[in-house]
């Protein structure tokens, strides 16, 4: 079915609205989002059926903050959550014991199922065609017909010589820009080794065949991306170099599981997609398995340090010591032992799928010689006799300084060119998908009208884009909840209430989700009403063990929730015992537990209003800072950062209040006041529980919380 | 609704507190203890009262209704107070109790801009306007900007604090505290970073708070040390105030004569007491008078008393009133009271040598308690008086006193935010809510020391924890 979708590419296409280069997580979301907004979209990638939806690194999706990103992509009708639900073989809610804002849905994936799910969904997107090819260059129109500064993209050139004219191009080439893979002392240009990830020597021969196809496609892609990289350099883009790694792959049949610690999934798996959350009794379609854990030993440390001392590369450095920056949250084993000597480190053993015995030993990525890697395995309990199907490797690649981008992810240098994913210096499937969705949605909007612009207060999507375009990054950027200052608002469970309405307005959300969303919004409103409606006298609450001051007044469940230490389940139990009408429904309202954070949320609402006001104050992109009477330091900082709004300018470290006031004055001159005063711009995608929060907040204040 | 001291911090004849926001009128009603508002745009002389009923000051109140106000979109008010730090503190405390909050740097100007009310060129101080007109208009803007910011609350305070707190960012473990909490949230589950790591943060937070309070207090007393402790000698005419000043100063600073009312103006002498700079102030005797010159002297004496850290009430032991200390105090009370509670008040009786039977008692305190009998002529009791003054001066400097207005304002304004209440860390069950407190503290501290941003927290996090999945 999906193959037919892919093969029905119109060979004669000479022009379309949007071309998406690359079929990874960013490319798929970009192509689907552009098509959902009505743009005639073409996804170009070598051997689509082999490469689309490939998981190049760990077989897992979600986590703290990352899971929220997946939910946000889903709220805007993206693909990732639905594909992950279809392919998940172990679901876990991280931080389940903590508050709802920091919970992180995560699942281990069956690689093959995931790939199928993505390809099936892409095949069903109207207006989206997929083309087997490799983009090697951009067509650039130096002087646009419509005016405006700078050159404009006009199309792409394929390796075959074909030219495709289009309005916008989204480039999502991942680690393929001048990618170099190091396995021990051997290096070769490539972005990944797919046959590692699908395991040539696994039990399913057809999977091995597919992996080889992917490898062939990757070789084509690598050659093409290198030519593309040259083009970027010629256009004057600031490029940097990053490094990341992936561990060896093991044959699960040769692991001694009995000495490893089992980590089962949740008893009641929570899906990623709101569409599935809306289906009562949803359960994962794929079979469920466990992960396992073991640890490195002192012998592992000694071996790695020894190898580092002797295993110098020709240029005198091992990759771990090399010139590029590796992510601090995903260090190579060499780095771990060097920086934290005398410790043992976790090794998580993750199955790569149901139909394969390949195991991904998370936590021991390295770039040692393959024979040293084998010796390393022998020092780790449970892996002593493990067969290594493929060695670990490190990959170095070019990225474009994301400060080259506007918040739409369009480059400032070349209009109509959008970048998403690892090419912007990020890491992770979720980060890539999120950017892909933003870039695709904006690439589809003709003339930059109705852009998808999300603020830091709207979601992790907004934080991600704002961090990238505002501050750039010097290591592969991973989303962390620590980066979100409005974390308590940006819960994974309310992503749809925050974003779907905006998606509907932009035509980014399809009919099925629109219907599901209306239903869900109704339920949330009902829940709020229910919490207000369920009332017990203070003595009745006390009778059920919830002590409140005995003034004889009736107290609603919403009010009770604002008291520290009181949980929804306690309330539900009390309501059930008292047989208050509606007690059954109360038991289903876990999400509303967030109300205990009400005083903080209230403070945040004020800050959010302020932020939105400053975000509305747009600074013209080509503002000449030298014409303003700024201090040299302010001018230098502002010129380098080119903030798009006053809010962005405020976040530039070290910019003085005087400079901000001066900017404000300048902006005001250009942008006559709209309405004035505060509160004039409330979010259209307002938090559905804010009314409840406000009411409860009033109560909280009264009770001296 | 925000407020800020809009006149320069420190001592002056007047201090102006500006208020802006929807609760301005409410605040005025409460301060004036009246239900009806004063007329807009007219100066109204009124008593200002704290929510607990305590009289704060008598001053002028100006009310501005939106949009005819400085910030345009909002109601504003100005409180013109006596220029004493103690009064300003007390009024600010009252405003905070009424749920107003201190303004951020530039916030008034920002609000005025937002309302489209203020053009920076107009906002410039008028006297300089013509002078600068020849310059490029953008330059004018910058000038105006600087003025505005300077007048607009926190920048002076920040200046004052900057050098004493510049090293704080490094010295304080706040990024590390935040890093531990964030580590448990973001990586706890995978990396086995348990919640006891977060619990271990509590002592750090307490320690941090202590350090911070220490720094703020020293910033305040540092200011006090710089400007000097002010001791005003007040009392009825011919009590010997000038004699006492001359005696303590060891020089003929003030003209002394047996005629009551000799001293008309305020005489200041700077000296050192226990290693601390002290400004000793002599002033006209307090009495009702028809002579306009003397009346002005009395007015200045009262003002000097209000602006002092220590008021030394001097009475004549031989006068009839002196037989009863209450009366000699009452004499002052008629003219000068109320003095703010923060001012240290000492009661001393002079001319002990002229009181029969008092010789042996000289230097000893006589009931009621704070009275000290001295004689400027014989020198009786002067050593004890010096010791007493020195003791109070040292206590003032140690506590930060009220003279370090800049520091003290910061102490007060920031106190709630910079000091993370440990009880919150204990009381709330959810780590991310606790973490929100630390983030707020980091933001508040960042306003003084320079921002503590996510990158710093992450640096600290990855230094301390091996994150490896």
């Amino acid at each position: 079915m999906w193959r037919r979708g892919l093969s029905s590419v119109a060979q004669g296409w000479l022009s379309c609205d949007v071309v998406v280069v690359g079929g990874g997580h960013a490319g798929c979301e970009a192509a689907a989002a552009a098509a959902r907004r009505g743009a005639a979209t073409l996804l170009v990638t070598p051997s689509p059926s082999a490469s689309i939806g490939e998981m190049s690194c760990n077989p897992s999706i979600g986590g703290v903050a990352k899971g929220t990103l997946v939910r946000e992509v889903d709220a805007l009708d993206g693909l990732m959550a639905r594909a992950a639900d279809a392919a998940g073989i172990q679901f876990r809610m991280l931080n389940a014991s903590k508050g709802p804002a920091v919970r992180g849905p995560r699942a281990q994936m069956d690689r093959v199922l995931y790939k199928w799910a993505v390809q099936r969904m892409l095949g069903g997107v109207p207006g989206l065609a997929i083309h087997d090819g490799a983009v090697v260059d951009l067509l650039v129109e130096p002087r646009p017909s419509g005016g405006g500064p700078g050159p404009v993209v006009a199309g792409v050139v394929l390796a075959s010589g074909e030219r495709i004219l289009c309005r916008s191009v989204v480039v999502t080439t991942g680690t393929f820009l001048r990618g170099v893979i190091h396995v021990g002392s051997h290096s070769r240009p490539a972005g990944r080794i797919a046959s590692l990830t699908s395991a040539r020597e696994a039990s399913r021969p057809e999977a091995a065949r597919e992996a080889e196809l992917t490898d062939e496609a990757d070789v084509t892609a690598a050659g093409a991306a290198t030519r593309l990289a040259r083009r970027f350099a010629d256009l004057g883009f600031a490029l940097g170099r990053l490094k990341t790694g992936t561990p060896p792959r093991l044959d699960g049949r040769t692991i001694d599981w009995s000495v490893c610690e089992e980590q089962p999934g949740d008893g009641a798996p929570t899906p990623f997609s709101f569409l599935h959350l809306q289906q009562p009794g949803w359960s994962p379609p794929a079979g469920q398995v466990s992960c396992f854990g073991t640890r490195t030993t002192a012998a592992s440390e000694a071996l790695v340090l020894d190898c580092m001392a002797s295993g110098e590369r020709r240029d005198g450095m091992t990759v771990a010591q090399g010139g590029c920056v590796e992510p601090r949250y995903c260090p190579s084993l060499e780095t771990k032992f060097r920086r934290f000597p005398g410790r043992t480190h976790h090794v998580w053993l993750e199955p790569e799928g149901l139909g394969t015995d390949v195991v991904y030993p998370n936590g021991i990525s390295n770039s040692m010689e393959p024979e040293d890697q084998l010796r390393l395995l022998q020092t780790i309990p449970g892996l002593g006799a493990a067969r290594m199907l493929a060695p670990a490797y490190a990959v170095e690649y070019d990225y474009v300084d994301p400060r080259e981008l506007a918040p739409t992810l369009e480059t400032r240098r070349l209009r109509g060119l959008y970048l998403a994913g690892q090419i912007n210096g990020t890491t992770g499937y979720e980060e890539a998908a999120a950017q892909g969705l933003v870039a695709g949605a904006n690439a589809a909007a003709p003339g930059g009208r109705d852009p998808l612009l999300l603020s830091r207060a709207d979601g992790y999507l907004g934080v991600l884009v704002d961090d990238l375009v505002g501050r750039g990054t010097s290591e592969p950027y991973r989303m962390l909840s620590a980066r979100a200052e409005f974390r308590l608002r940006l819960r994974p469970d309310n992503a749809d209430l925050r974003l779907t309405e905006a998606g509907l307005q932009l035509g980014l959300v399809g009919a099925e989700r629109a219907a599901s969303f209306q239903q869900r919004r109704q339920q949330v409103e009902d829940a709020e009403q229910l919490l207000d409606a369920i009332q017990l006298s203070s003595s009745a609450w006390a009778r059920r063990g919830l002590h409140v001051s005995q003034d004889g007044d009736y107290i609603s469940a919403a009010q009770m929730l604002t008291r520290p230490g009181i949980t929804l389940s306690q309330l539900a139990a009390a309501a059930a015992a008292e047989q208050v009408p509606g007690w059954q429904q109360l038991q289903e309202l876990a999400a509303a537990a967030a109300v205990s954070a009400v005083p903080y949320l209230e403070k945040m609402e004020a800050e959010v209003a302020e932020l939105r006001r400053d975000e509305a104050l747009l600074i013209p992109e080509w503002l000449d800072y030298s014409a303003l009477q700024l201090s040299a330091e302010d001018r230098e900082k502002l010129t380098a950062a080119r903030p798009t709004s006053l809010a962005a300018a405020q976040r530039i470290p070290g910019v003085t209040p005087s400079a901000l006031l001066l900017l404000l004055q300048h902006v005001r001159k250009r942008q006559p006041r709209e309405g004035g005063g505060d509160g004039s711009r409330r979010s259209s995608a307002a938090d559905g529980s804010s009314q409840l929060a406000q009411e409860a907040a009033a109560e909280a204040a009264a009770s001296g919380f | 609704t925000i407020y800020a001291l809009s006149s320069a911090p420190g001592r002056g004849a007047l201090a102006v507190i500006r208020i802006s926001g929807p609760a301005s009128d409410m605040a005025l009603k409460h301060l004036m203890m009246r239900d009806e508002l004063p007329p807009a745009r007219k100066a109204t002389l009124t008593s200002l009262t704290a929510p607990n009923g305590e009289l704060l000051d008598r001053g002028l109140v100006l009310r501005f209704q939106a949009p005819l106000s400085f910030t345009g979109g909002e109601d504003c008010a100005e409180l013109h107070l006596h220029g004493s730090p103690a009064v300003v503190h007390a009024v600010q405390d009252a405003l905070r109790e009424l749920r107003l909050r201190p303004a951020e740097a530039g916030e008034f100007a920002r609000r005025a801009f937002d309302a489209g009310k203020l053009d920076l060129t107009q906002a410039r101080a008028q006297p300089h306007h013509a002078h600068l007109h020849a310059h490029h208009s953008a330059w004018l803007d910058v000038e105006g900007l600087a003025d505005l910011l300077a007048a607009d609350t926190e920048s002076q305070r920040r200046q004052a604090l900057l050098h004493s707190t510049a090293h704080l960012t490094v010295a304080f473990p706040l990024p590390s505290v935040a890093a531990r909490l964030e580590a448990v949230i973001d990586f706890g589950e995978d990396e086995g970073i348990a919640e006891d790591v977060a619990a271990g943060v509590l002592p750090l937070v307490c320690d941090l708070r202590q350090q911070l309070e220490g720094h703020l207090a020293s910033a305040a007393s540092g200011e006090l040390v710089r400007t000097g402790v002010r001791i005003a000698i007040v009392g009825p005419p011919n009590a010997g105030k000038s004699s006492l000043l001359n005696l303590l100063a060891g020089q003929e600073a003030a003209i002394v004569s047996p005629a009551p009312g000799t001293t008309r103006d305020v005489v200041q002498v700077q000296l050192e007491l226990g290693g601390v700079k002290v400004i000793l102030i002599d002033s006209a005797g307090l009495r009702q008078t028809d002579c306009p010159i003397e009346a002005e002297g009395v007015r200045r004496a009262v003002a000097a008393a209000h602006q002092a850290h220590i008021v030394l009430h001097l009475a004549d032991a031989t006068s009839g009133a002196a037989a009863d200390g209450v009366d000699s105090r009452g004499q002052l009370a008629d003219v000068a009271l109320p003095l703010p509670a923060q001012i240290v008040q000492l009661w001393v009786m002079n001319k002990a040598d002229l009181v029969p039977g008092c010789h042996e008692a000289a230097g000893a305190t006589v009931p009621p308690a704070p009275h000290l009998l001295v004689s400027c002529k014989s020198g009786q009791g002067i050593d004890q008086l010096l010791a007493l003054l020195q003791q109070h001066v040292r206590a003032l400097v140690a506590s930060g006193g009220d003279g370090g207005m800049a520091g003290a304002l910061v102490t007060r304004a920031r106190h709630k935010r910079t000091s993370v209440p440990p009880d919150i860390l204990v009381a709330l069950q959810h780590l991310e809510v606790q973490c929100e407190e630390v983030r707020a503290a980091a933001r508040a501290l960042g306003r003084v020391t320079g921002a503590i941003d996510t990158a710093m927290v992450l640096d600290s996090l990855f230094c301390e924890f091996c994150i490896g999945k």
Side-chain angles (χ1 to χ4, degrees), chain B residues 378-390:
Chain B
S378 68
Q380 285 166 11
I382 295 298
D383 286 346
Q384 285 89 339
L385 176 61
L386 275 173
L388 186 67
L389 284 174
Q390 194 169 323

Side-chain angles (χ1 to χ4, degrees), chain B residues 107-128:
Chain B
E107 199 171 2
F108 278 100
R110 177 63 207 265
R111 290 190 179 196
F113 270 125
D114 285 341
K117 177 74 180 173
L118 182 71
D119 179 343
L120 276 177
T121 37
Q122 289 169 5
R124 257 200 106 307
Q126 288 305 311
H128 305 288

Side-chain angles (χ1 to χ4, degrees), chain B residues 20-186:
Chain B
S20 177
S24 297
D25 283 350
M26 179 279 293
L28 283 187
K29 283 185 193 170
H30 274 95
L31 288 172
M32 299 169 70
M33 301 231 309
R34 272 195 239 164
D35 277 340
E36 76 274 20
L37 288 161
R41 315 180 70 77
K42 283 213 171 81
T44 307
L45 179 65
T46 179
S47 299
L48 298 174
T49 314
N52 64 9
E54 188 192 327
L55 181 66
L56 297 166
D57 194 16
R58 272 181 76 75
L60 291 179
V61 166
L62 281 159
R63 188 169 73 92
F64 303 92
Q65 274 176 296
L68 297 175
S69 70
F70 176 70
T71 47
E74 301 179 333
D75 291 340
C76 280
E78 287 179 14
L79 310 176
H80 294 240
L81 311 166
H82 288 102
S84 141
V87 170
V88 171
H89 282 174
V91 173
Q92 291 189 323
D93 282 344
L95 290 173
R96 202 161 37 249
E97 257 182 83
L98 293 170
R99 305 212 163 217
L100 277 62
R101 69 167 175 81
E104 304 289 339
E107 199 171 2
F108 278 100
R110 177 63 207 265
R111 290 190 179 196
F113 270 125
D114 285 341
K117 177 74 180 173
L118 182 71
D119 179 343
L120 276 177
T121 37
Q122 289 169 5
R124 257 200 106 307
Q126 288 305 311
H128 305 288
H129 199 262
H131 164 66
L132 275 166
H133 216 269
H135 290 248
H136 192 270
S137 75
W139 174 239
L140 205 59
D141 291 350
V142 176
E143 283 283 291
L145 208 60
D147 282 4
L148 268 176
L149 276 180
D152 211 1
T153 73
E154 300 210 337
S155 59
Q156 303 103 320
R157 279 181 254 168
R158 186 155 49 181
Q159 278 300 317
L161 262 187
L162 209 57
H163 79 275
S164 69
T165 51
H167 63 285
L168 295 191
T169 324
V170 187
F172 283 3
L174 204 51
S176 160
V177 166
R180 292 186 191 194
L181 296 179
E182 303 284 3
V184 174
I185 290 173
D186 270 322

